[in-house]
Amino acid sequence: SAEVERRLFGEVGRLMAEPVSADELERAKRQLETTVWLGLQTSRARAQALGQAEMLAGDWRDAARQVERIRACTAPDLMRAALHLDVARRVVVWIVPAPGATGGRP
C-alpha cells in the first residue's frame, strides 16, 4: 500500500541522515545471522548458497564469508548503502490482482 511505501522510504531517509543505534544494529545482525544459519539446514539449501555465491561473487567459497560480512557491518556502512536507494531515482511497480482473481488458488 501507499502507507507501506511511505514508511519504507521514510526509514531509508532516516538511515541516510542518522546512524542506527548500536542496539538496533546488533539486533539486526543477530536476525540476519540466524536467517543465514537456518537457511543452510538442508543439503539443497547449502547447494543453492554455494551456487549463488559462485554466480554472484565468482567464488563458491564466498558463501562461507556471508556471516563474517554481516558481523563486520557498521552503522556508517549502512548509511553509505542507503545513498544508493535514492528516492528520486526509484521505480515502483504495483501488482494489483484482477477483480475476481484468486491468486492461483481454487
Side-chain angles (χ1 to χ4, degrees):
S1 77
E3 177 65 17
V4 171
E5 183 182 344
R6 185 187 66 73
R7 286 184 182 206
L8 173 66
F9 285 105
E11 286 300 310
V12 170
R14 184 178 68 89
L15 185 56
M16 290 172 154
E18 60 186 62
V20 296
S21 70
D23 287 342
E24 187 176 5
L25 182 58
E26 284 308 310
R27 193 170 41 255
K29 285 181 181 183
R30 282 193 306 274
Q31 287 175 338
L32 277 171
E33 192 174 330
T34 299
T35 299
V36 169
W37 292 124
L38 290 174
L40 296 174
Q41 288 187 332
T42 66
S43 297
R44 179 183 176 137
R46 288 189 294 276
Q48 285 179 314
L50 294 173
Q52 184 177 21
E54 181 66 31
M55 184 179 68
L56 297 176
D59 184 358
W60 61 268
R61 291 174 290 268
D62 194 60
R65 295 187 282 270
Q66 187 174 6
V67 170
E68 180 182 314
R69 285 192 303 274
I70 290 168
R71 290 178 181 167
C73 186
T74 65
D77 292 335
L78 293 177
M79 290 179 79
R80 279 190 300 279
L83 295 174
H84 296 283
L85 301 174
D86 182 0
V87 175
R89 297 175 61 205
R90 73 179 181 211
V91 175
V92 177
V93 177
W94 288 85
I95 300 174
V96 180
T102 61
R105 292 183 295 255

